[in-house]
Amino acid sequence: NARNWDLFAIQADGTGRRQLTFTREFEQHPQWSPDGTQIVFTQGDVMTNIDIWVMDADGSNRRRLTEHPERDQRASWSPDGTQIAFVSQRDGDVGIWLMDADGGNKRKLVNGREPSWSPDGNWIAFVSSRGGLWSLYLVPASGGEPQKLWDVPNIGRDWTQQRLTWR
């Protein structure tokens, strides 16, 4: 009896399917916290506005972390679970913002999309179309000048909807 885009959890072997959200709004882009106790996700009307929420792993204790007229989305936990990177246009430009895990201390890091924390938490990889060509960048998580790694080949993908992953 799922409505719209509710979130579910399931065991790796395909058993234990549990519905975690029961709203009329769209929930998307879930990500487990590093310790596995919480899930950060976006919720809202995809045609108007979405914000970032967090809940306990069983779906309880839902809390809104952002509330802004512009979309806040694509949340990503820091490896130590103390910060969350997210994408927003809250200052007019599409950028990567950081906030504490409780939603406090919001600050812009850099213009770009699809933040991905390095395993040690010192860097954030992201994509940006600076100069009209999609490229992959690294920026210190503490702030600073982004470093361009390489141009992303045009392979017919919309890089604004991809997740970057470290190995």
Side-chain angles (χ1 to χ4, degrees), residues 36-104:
T37 63
Q38 299 181 86
I39 301 169
V40 68
F41 61 98
T42 57
Q43 178 183 309
D45 181 341
V46 295
M47 299 306 291
T48 57
N49 187 41
I50 54 180
D51 286 305
I52 297 172
W53 292 68
V54 68
M55 65 182 164
D56 291 347
D58 64 2
S60 66
N61 197 23
R62 294 167 40 105
R63 300 168 311 282
R64 186 182 215 155
L65 298 182
T66 67
E67 187 168 357
H68 194 274
E70 293 294 337
R71 293 178 184 207
D72 294 330
Q73 57 188 337
R74 309 299 272 181
S76 177
W77 291 97
S78 63
D80 65 4
T82 63
Q83 296 185 82
I84 297 171
F86 64 100
V87 177
S88 182
Q89 278 185 277
R90 52 181 53 219
D91 70 351
D93 294 319
V94 177
I96 297 170
W97 290 68
L98 299 176
M99 65 179 158
D100 295 343
D102 64 2

Side-chain angles (χ1 to χ4, degrees), residues 2-16:
R3 298 175 301 265
N4 296 327
W5 294 1
D6 287 310
L7 297 180
F8 293 79
I10 191 167
Q11 299 296 321
D13 65 4
T15 62

